[in-house]
Coordinates of all heavy atoms in Angstrom, one line a residue:
A68 N -13.0 -8.2 17.0 CA -11.7 -8.1 17.7 C -10.7 -8.9 16.9 O -11.1 -9.8 16.1 CB -11.8 -8.5 19.1
P69 N -9.5 -8.5 17.0 CA -8.4 -9.3 16.2 C -8.5 -10.8 16.5 O -8.5 -11.2 17.6 CB -7.1 -8.7 16.8 CG -7.5 -7.3 17.2 CD -8.8 -7.4 17.8
G70 N -8.5 -11.5 15.4 CA -8.5 -13.0 15.6 C -9.9 -13.6 15.9 O -10.0 -14.8 16.1
K71 N -10.9 -12.8 16.0 CA -12.2 -13.3 16.3 C -13.2 -13.0 15.2 O -13.0 -12.1 14.3 CB -12.7 -12.6 17.6 CG -11.9 -13.0 18.8 CD -12.6 -12.5 20.1 CE -11.8 -12.9 21.3 NZ -12.5 -12.4 22.6
E72 N -14.3 -13.7 15.2 CA -15.4 -13.4 14.2 C -16.2 -12.2 14.5 O -16.2 -11.8 15.7 CB -16.3 -14.7 14.2 CG -15.8 -16.0 13.8 CD -15.4 -16.1 12.3 OE1 -16.1 -15.4 11.5 OE2 -14.4 -16.7 11.9
R73 N -16.7 -11.6 13.5 CA -17.5 -10.5 13.7 C -18.8 -11.0 14.5 O -19.4 -11.9 14.2 CB -18.0 -9.8 12.4 CG -18.8 -8.6 12.5 CD -18.9 -7.8 11.2 NE -17.7 -7.4 10.6 CZ -17.6 -6.8 9.5 NH1 -18.7 -6.3 8.9 NH2 -16.4 -6.5 8.9
E74 N -19.3 -10.2 15.5 CA -20.4 -10.6 16.3 C -21.4 -9.4 16.5 O -21.0 -8.3 16.5 CB -20.0 -11.1 17.7 CG -19.3 -9.9 18.5 CD -18.9 -10.5 20.0 OE1 -19.4 -11.6 20.3 OE2 -18.3 -9.7 20.6
L75 N -22.6 -9.8 16.6 CA -23.7 -8.8 16.8 C -23.5 -8.2 18.2 O -23.4 -9.0 19.2 CB -25.0 -9.5 16.7 CG -26.2 -8.5 17.1 CD1 -26.4 -7.5 16.0 CD2 -27.5 -9.4 17.2
V76 N -23.6 -6.9 18.3 CA -23.6 -6.2 19.6 C -25.0 -5.9 20.0 O -25.4 -6.1 21.1 CB -22.7 -5.0 19.5 CG1 -22.7 -4.3 20.9 CG2 -21.2 -5.4 19.2
A77 N -25.7 -5.2 19.1 CA -27.0 -4.7 19.4 C -27.7 -4.4 18.0 O -27.0 -4.1 17.0 CB -27.0 -3.4 20.2
A78 N -29.0 -4.6 18.0 CA -29.8 -4.3 16.8 C -31.1 -3.7 17.2 O -31.6 -3.9 18.3 CB -30.0 -5.6 16.0
I79 N -31.7 -2.9 16.3 CA -33.0 -2.3 16.6 C -33.8 -2.4 15.3 O -33.3 -2.0 14.2 CB -32.8 -0.9 17.1 CG1 -34.2 -0.2 17.4 CG2 -32.0 0.0 16.1 CD1 -34.0 1.0 18.2
D80 N -35.0 -2.8 15.4 CA -35.9 -2.8 14.1 C -36.6 -1.6 13.9 O -36.5 -0.6 14.7 CB -36.7 -4.1 14.1 CG -37.8 -4.1 15.1 OD1 -38.1 -3.0 15.7 OD2 -38.4 -5.2 15.4
S81 N -37.4 -1.6 12.9 CA -38.2 -0.4 12.5 C -39.2 -0.1 13.5 O -39.6 1.2 13.6 CB -38.8 -0.6 11.1 OG -39.7 -1.7 11.1
G82 N -39.7 -0.9 14.3 CA -40.6 -0.7 15.4 C -40.0 -0.3 16.7 O -40.7 -0.1 17.7
G83 N -38.7 -0.3 16.8 CA -37.9 0.1 18.0 C -37.6 -1.1 18.9 O -37.1 -0.9 20.0
V84 N -37.9 -2.4 18.4 CA -37.6 -3.4 19.3 C -36.0 -3.7 19.2 O -35.5 -3.7 18.1 CB -38.4 -4.7 18.8 CG1 -38.0 -5.9 19.6 CG2 -39.8 -4.5 18.9
T85 N -35.4 -3.9 20.3 CA -34.0 -4.1 20.4 C -33.6 -5.4 20.9 O -34.4 -6.1 21.5 CB -33.4 -3.0 21.4 OG1 -33.9 -3.3 22.6 CG2 -33.8 -1.6 21.0
N86 N -32.4 -5.8 20.5 CA -31.8 -7.0 21.1 C -30.3 -6.8 21.2 O -29.7 -6.0 20.5 CB -32.1 -8.3 20.4 CG -31.4 -8.3 19.0 OD1 -30.3 -8.7 18.9 ND2 -32.2 -8.0 18.0
Y87 N -29.7 -7.4 22.2 CA -28.4 -7.2 22.6 C -27.6 -8.5 22.8 O -28.2 -9.5 23.3 CB -28.2 -6.4 23.9 CG -28.8 -5.0 23.9 CD1 -30.2 -4.8 24.1 CD2 -28.1 -3.9 23.5 CE1 -30.7 -3.5 24.1 CE2 -28.6 -2.6 23.5 CZ -29.9 -2.5 23.8 OH -30.5 -1.2 23.7
A88 N -26.3 -8.5 22.6 CA -25.5 -9.6 23.0 C -25.5 -9.7 24.5 O -25.6 -8.6 25.2 CB -24.1 -9.4 22.4
D89 N -25.4 -10.9 25.0 CA -25.4 -11.0 26.5 C -24.3 -10.3 27.2 O -24.4 -9.8 28.3 CB -25.3 -12.5 26.9 CG -26.6 -13.2 26.5 OD1 -27.7 -12.7 26.4 OD2 -26.5 -14.5 26.5
S90 N -23.1 -10.2 26.5 CA -22.0 -9.5 27.0 C -22.1 -8.1 27.3 O -21.4 -7.4 28.0 CB -20.8 -9.8 26.2 OG -20.9 -9.3 24.9
V91 N -23.1 -7.4 26.6 CA -23.3 -5.9 26.7 C -24.6 -5.5 27.4 O -24.8 -4.4 27.5 CB -23.1 -5.3 25.3 CG1 -21.9 -5.7 24.7 CG2 -24.3 -5.6 24.4
K92 N -25.4 -6.5 27.6 CA -26.8 -6.2 28.3 C -26.5 -5.4 29.6 O -25.7 -5.8 30.4 CB -27.6 -7.4 28.5 CG -28.1 -8.1 27.3 CD -29.0 -9.3 27.6 CE -29.5 -9.9 26.3 NZ -30.3 -11.1 26.6
G93 N -27.3 -4.4 29.7 CA -27.1 -3.5 30.9 C -26.1 -2.4 30.8 O -26.1 -1.6 31.6
R94 N -25.3 -2.6 29.8 CA -24.2 -1.5 29.7 C -24.3 -0.7 28.4 O -24.0 0.5 28.4 CB -22.8 -2.2 29.6 CG -22.5 -3.0 30.9 CD -21.1 -3.5 30.9 NE -20.9 -4.4 29.8 CZ -19.9 -4.2 28.9 NH1 -19.2 -3.1 28.9 NH2 -19.7 -5.1 27.9
F95 N -24.8 -1.3 27.3 CA -25.0 -0.6 26.0 C -26.4 -0.4 25.7 O -27.3 -1.2 26.1 CB -24.4 -1.4 24.9 CG -22.9 -1.7 24.9 CD1 -22.1 -1.3 26.0 CD2 -22.2 -2.2 23.9 CE1 -20.8 -1.4 26.0 CE2 -20.8 -2.4 23.8 CZ -20.1 -2.0 24.9
T96 N -26.7 0.7 25.0 CA -28.0 1.1 24.6 C -28.0 1.4 23.1 O -27.2 2.4 22.8 CB -28.7 2.1 25.4 OG1 -28.7 1.7 26.8 CG2 -30.1 2.4 25.0
I97 N -28.8 0.9 22.3 CA -29.0 1.3 20.9 C -30.2 2.1 20.7 O -31.3 1.7 21.4 CB -29.0 0.0 20.0 CG1 -28.9 0.4 18.5 CG2 -30.2 -1.0 20.3 CD1 -28.6 -0.8 17.6
S98 N -30.1 3.0 19.9 CA -31.3 3.9 19.6 C -31.2 4.4 18.2 O -30.2 4.3 17.5 CB -31.4 5.1 20.6 OG -30.2 5.9 20.5
R99 N -32.4 4.9 17.8 CA -32.5 5.4 16.4 C -33.1 6.7 16.3 O -34.0 7.1 17.1 CB -33.3 4.4 15.5 CG -32.8 3.1 15.2 CD -33.7 2.2 14.4 NE -33.7 2.6 13.0 CZ -34.3 1.8 12.1 NH1 -34.7 0.6 12.3 NH2 -34.3 2.2 10.8
D100 N -32.7 7.6 15.5 CA -33.3 8.9 15.1 C -33.7 8.7 13.6 O -33.0 9.0 12.7 CB -32.4 10.0 15.3 CG -33.1 11.4 15.1 OD1 -34.1 11.4 14.4 OD2 -32.6 12.4 15.6

């Protein structure tokens, strides 16, 4: 966001393990094809 540092929102590894920022947990979902 303007004036803020870049922050991790969500990530997914090669095995499908995900992690999310606390601010988006329960609202955002990351997936891979």
